[in-house]
Amino acid sequence: MSDASEQIPGGRATGSTGPVSPTRCPAVKLRPASYLILGMVGLGARSGYAIKAAADQSTQFFWPMSLAQVYPELARLQSAGLLRREEDPRGARERHSYALTDAGEQALADWLRSAQNEPTQFRDEGVLRLFFADALQPADQIALLRRMRERAAAVAAITREEILPSAEALEQAGTRCPALIARLRADTHAYVERWLARAETELR
Amino acid sequence: MSDASEQIPGGRATGSTGPVSPTRCPAVKLRPASYLILGMVGLGARSGYAIKAAADQSTQFFWPMSLAQVYPELARLQSAGLLRREEDPRGARERHSYALTDAGEQALADWLRSAQNEPTQFRDEGVLRLFFADALQPADQIALLRRMRERAAAVAAITREEILPSAEALEQAGTRCPALIARLRADTHAYVERWLARAETELR
DNA sequence: GTGTGCATGTAAGGAGTTACATGATTGC
DNA sequence: GCAATCATGTAACTCCTTACATGCACAC
């Protein structure tokens, strides 16, 4: 695991609203959600709200994150010296604008190059049902297969029609990976859809 | 969500080691892990240890469950009248043997036919990295893609070589769905492997 | 006799969720 | 004027994991 605090120069100030003692940054444990936030700031999302909004349209599907996670994590990353925070109010409405520090950029780059992965987690109640579906009548088995196929088709369609277009807008600007991920997701679910359709046919 | 306690007949005893007052079974909330355990008992796993061992070889990949979850959940299911528990020691070593009650069988069947799914959850640090990989040099992007492809290939291979054979043994005995799931998993990961290989080639 | 597997549980803690609480701005 | 959106945070709770604790049986 990359320990970002190692890269923080000693006497570095952490920004206009930083902690009282800016000379030492505590070592905080960085989890994937931390890098998700760092990455979103790197892509241009400035406020906690904007980070969550961006995540909802993209990373939500392979790394879910709730709004209640975002604000404490932003504070942690700031206290670790990886983010710089500035007051950026809109009229009387407060707003904080975050940017990557050099240390933050370095921590993000280290993580991106790192080969260590948390174990992939996949939880799907439909697949769990299908595993035990021998206890069902054939007609109910077919109905289950059909519902799963329809769900896979819906995910593929939504990804193609709603997620991909915004990712392709980014792609025009030179940021290609979001669109790559959207295509991977759409294609994989389309494959599962066909697979389940074939299984359904074979069962009949 | 199916509420199993509705199907429990009033004055039904819950087994030899049941609670002091067997006339009323408290309504417990059933989650997918509950049905996983019910399903494993239905497939013939009798002890908590055996349930966990069976899950490790099959359902682990789409519904992870730790041993520490199993024992409290077994107690809950028994107190709800869905499982019957009997002492079944091996020498001086204690062992509990669980079996589905009629209510348990009914609850399982209701869930299998139910269309309500908890939202699918997927968390993969590799995909998250790839999403932000525009910040990497092309050589590092290719390395990331290669690692992801190798992981997908490894999952497909292990599923085909280690999971499928035991599922196919069950299939011979008439329980076909575990093998179906193993094939879905192996084929999907093989598809992702090919997809990533193509992406890698296009990037070069 | 010793290591591996079978077997049952508890305790503490971490990660993440929903619900709560508040309020300004912008567009209709 | 009103609804939707932008914006920041906290509190309580749930789920699940790791680590701990214990001990017999069986094969080598």
Side-chain angles (χ1 to χ4, degrees), chain A residues 137-159:
Chain A
Q137 300 296 318
D140 288 327
Q141 290 177 349
I142 288 168
L144 173 55
L145 238 20
R146 198 196 59 237
R147 281 197 305 271
M148 289 177 66
R149 172 171 55 80
E150 284 168 356
R151 275 179 64 115
V155 169
I158 286 173
T159 306

Short mmCIF file of all heavy atoms in Angstrom, two decimals, chain A residues 137-159:
data_model
loop_
_atom_site.label_atom_id
_atom_site.label_comp_id
_atom_site.label_asym_id
_atom_site.label_seq_id
_atom_site.Cartn_x
_atom_site.Cartn_y
_atom_site.Cartn_z
N GLN A 137 -39.93 -25.28 -9.94
CA GLN A 137 -40.53 -25.90 -11.11
C GLN A 137 -39.89 -25.30 -12.36
O GLN A 137 -39.50 -24.12 -12.33
CB GLN A 137 -42.04 -25.61 -11.15
CG GLN A 137 -42.81 -26.11 -9.95
CD GLN A 137 -42.78 -27.63 -9.85
OE1 GLN A 137 -42.92 -28.32 -10.87
NE2 GLN A 137 -42.58 -28.16 -8.65
N PRO A 138 -39.82 -26.06 -13.46
CA PRO A 138 -39.23 -25.54 -14.70
C PRO A 138 -39.78 -24.18 -15.11
O PRO A 138 -39.02 -23.30 -15.53
CB PRO A 138 -39.56 -26.62 -15.73
CG PRO A 138 -39.63 -27.88 -14.92
CD PRO A 138 -40.18 -27.49 -13.58
N ALA A 139 -41.09 -23.98 -14.99
CA ALA A 139 -41.68 -22.70 -15.40
C ALA A 139 -41.12 -21.55 -14.58
O ALA A 139 -40.83 -20.46 -15.10
CB ALA A 139 -43.21 -22.76 -15.27
N ASP A 140 -40.93 -21.79 -13.27
CA ASP A 140 -40.37 -20.74 -12.40
C ASP A 140 -38.90 -20.52 -12.69
O ASP A 140 -38.40 -19.40 -12.58
CB ASP A 140 -40.57 -21.13 -10.93
CG ASP A 140 -42.02 -21.01 -10.49
OD1 ASP A 140 -42.72 -20.11 -11.01
OD2 ASP A 140 -42.46 -21.80 -9.63
N GLN A 141 -38.21 -21.60 -13.05
CA GLN A 141 -36.80 -21.45 -13.43
C GLN A 141 -36.67 -20.55 -14.65
O GLN A 141 -35.82 -19.66 -14.70
CB GLN A 141 -36.19 -22.83 -13.75
CG GLN A 141 -36.01 -23.72 -12.53
CD GLN A 141 -35.46 -25.10 -12.89
OE1 GLN A 141 -35.40 -25.46 -14.06
NE2 GLN A 141 -35.08 -25.86 -11.87
N ILE A 142 -37.53 -20.78 -15.63
CA ILE A 142 -37.50 -19.98 -16.84
C ILE A 142 -37.83 -18.53 -16.54
O ILE A 142 -37.19 -17.60 -17.07
CB ILE A 142 -38.48 -20.56 -17.90
CG1 ILE A 142 -37.89 -21.88 -18.44
CG2 ILE A 142 -38.74 -19.58 -19.02
CD1 ILE A 142 -38.85 -22.70 -19.27
N ALA A 143 -38.80 -18.31 -15.65
CA ALA A 143 -39.17 -16.94 -15.28
C ALA A 143 -37.99 -16.22 -14.63
O ALA A 143 -37.72 -15.05 -14.91
CB ALA A 143 -40.37 -16.97 -14.34
N LEU A 144 -37.27 -16.94 -13.77
CA LEU A 144 -36.10 -16.35 -13.10
C LEU A 144 -35.02 -15.97 -14.11
O LEU A 144 -34.49 -14.87 -14.10
CB LEU A 144 -35.56 -17.35 -12.07
CG LEU A 144 -34.24 -17.01 -11.38
CD1 LEU A 144 -34.29 -15.65 -10.71
CD2 LEU A 144 -33.88 -18.09 -10.35
N LEU A 145 -34.75 -16.91 -15.00
CA LEU A 145 -33.77 -16.66 -16.06
C LEU A 145 -34.18 -15.44 -16.89
O LEU A 145 -33.33 -14.61 -17.24
CB LEU A 145 -33.70 -17.91 -16.95
CG LEU A 145 -32.39 -18.68 -17.16
CD1 LEU A 145 -31.35 -18.44 -16.12
CD2 LEU A 145 -32.68 -20.17 -17.31
N ARG A 146 -35.46 -15.34 -17.18
CA ARG A 146 -35.94 -14.22 -18.01
C ARG A 146 -35.77 -12.90 -17.27
O ARG A 146 -35.30 -11.91 -17.85
CB ARG A 146 -37.41 -14.42 -18.37
CG ARG A 146 -37.86 -13.58 -19.55
CD ARG A 146 -39.38 -13.50 -19.65
NE ARG A 146 -39.94 -12.93 -18.44
CZ ARG A 146 -40.85 -13.51 -17.66
NH1 ARG A 146 -41.31 -14.72 -17.94
NH2 ARG A 146 -41.30 -12.89 -16.58
N ARG A 147 -36.10 -12.86 -15.99
CA ARG A 147 -35.93 -11.62 -15.22
C ARG A 147 -34.47 -11.22 -15.17
O ARG A 147 -34.14 -10.04 -15.30
CB ARG A 147 -36.46 -11.81 -13.78
CG ARG A 147 -37.96 -11.72 -13.66
CD ARG A 147 -38.37 -11.48 -12.21
NE ARG A 147 -37.85 -12.48 -11.30
CZ ARG A 147 -38.44 -13.62 -10.98
NH1 ARG A 147 -39.62 -13.93 -11.53
NH2 ARG A 147 -37.90 -14.45 -10.13
N MET A 148 -33.58 -12.21 -15.00
CA MET A 148 -32.15 -11.88 -14.95
C MET A 148 -31.67 -11.34 -16.29
O MET A 148 -30.88 -10.39 -16.35
CB MET A 148 -31.34 -13.12 -14.55
CG MET A 148 -31.53 -13.50 -13.10
SD MET A 148 -30.65 -15.01 -12.66
CE MET A 148 -28.94 -14.49 -12.83
N ARG A 149 -32.16 -11.95 -17.36
CA ARG A 149 -31.77 -11.49 -18.69
C ARG A 149 -32.26 -10.07 -18.93
O ARG A 149 -31.52 -9.23 -19.46
CB ARG A 149 -32.36 -12.44 -19.75
CG ARG A 149 -32.19 -11.95 -21.17
CD ARG A 149 -32.58 -13.01 -22.19
NE ARG A 149 -33.94 -13.52 -22.01
CZ ARG A 149 -35.04 -12.89 -22.43
NH1 ARG A 149 -34.96 -11.71 -23.02
NH2 ARG A 149 -36.23 -13.42 -22.24
N GLU A 150 -33.49 -9.80 -18.53
CA GLU A 150 -34.04 -8.45 -18.73
C GLU A 150 -33.26 -7.41 -17.94
O GLU A 150 -33.03 -6.29 -18.41
CB GLU A 150 -35.52 -8.42 -18.33
CG GLU A 150 -36.40 -9.08 -19.39
CD GLU A 150 -37.83 -9.35 -18.91
OE1 GLU A 150 -38.13 -9.10 -17.72
OE2 GLU A 150 -38.63 -9.82 -19.72
N ARG A 151 -32.82 -7.79 -16.74
CA ARG A 151 -32.01 -6.86 -15.95
C ARG A 151 -30.68 -6.57 -16.63
O ARG A 151 -30.23 -5.43 -16.68
CB ARG A 151 -31.75 -7.45 -14.55
CG ARG A 151 -32.86 -7.18 -13.56
CD ARG A 151 -32.54 -7.82 -12.21
NE ARG A 151 -31.37 -7.26 -11.58
CZ ARG A 151 -31.40 -6.58 -10.43
NH1 ARG A 151 -32.53 -6.38 -9.81
NH2 ARG A 151 -30.28 -6.10 -9.91
N ALA A 152 -30.03 -7.64 -17.12
CA ALA A 152 -28.76 -7.45 -17.81
C ALA A 152 -28.95 -6.56 -19.04
O ALA A 152 -28.14 -5.66 -19.30
CB ALA A 152 -28.18 -8.81 -18.23
N ALA A 153 -30.04 -6.78 -19.77
CA ALA A 153 -30.33 -5.98 -20.96
C ALA A 153 -30.54 -4.52 -20.57
O ALA A 153 -30.06 -3.60 -21.26
CB ALA A 153 -31.56 -6.52 -21.67
N ALA A 154 -31.24 -4.29 -19.47
CA ALA A 154 -31.51 -2.92 -19.03
C ALA A 154 -30.22 -2.20 -18.66
O ALA A 154 -30.02 -1.04 -19.03
CB ALA A 154 -32.47 -2.94 -17.84
N VAL A 155 -29.32 -2.89 -17.96
CA VAL A 155 -28.04 -2.29 -17.59
C VAL A 155 -27.25 -1.93 -18.84
O VAL A 155 -26.71 -0.83 -18.96
CB VAL A 155 -27.22 -3.24 -16.69
CG1 VAL A 155 -25.79 -2.73 -16.53
CG2 VAL A 155 -27.88 -3.39 -15.33
N ALA A 156 -27.22 -2.87 -19.80
CA ALA A 156 -26.48 -2.61 -21.03
C ALA A 156 -27.06 -1.39 -21.75
O ALA A 156 -26.32 -0.51 -22.21
CB ALA A 156 -26.53 -3.84 -21.95
N ALA A 157 -28.37 -1.31 -21.81
CA ALA A 157 -29.03 -0.21 -22.52
C ALA A 157 -28.76 1.12 -21.84
O ALA A 157 -28.38 2.11 -22.49
CB ALA A 157 -30.53 -0.47 -22.62
N ILE A 158 -28.94 1.17 -20.54
CA ILE A 158 -28.73 2.42 -19.80
C ILE A 158 -27.28 2.87 -19.93
O ILE A 158 -26.99 4.05 -20.12
CB ILE A 158 -29.12 2.25 -18.32
CG1 ILE A 158 -30.65 2.23 -18.20
CG2 ILE A 158 -28.54 3.36 -17.46
CD1 ILE A 158 -31.15 1.89 -16.82
N THR A 159 -26.36 1.91 -19.85
CA THR A 159 -24.95 2.27 -19.97
C THR A 159 -24.66 2.85 -21.34
O THR A 159 -23.98 3.87 -21.47
CB THR A 159 -24.06 1.03 -19.72
OG1 THR A 159 -24.41 0.45 -18.46
CG2 THR A 159 -22.59 1.41 -19.70
#
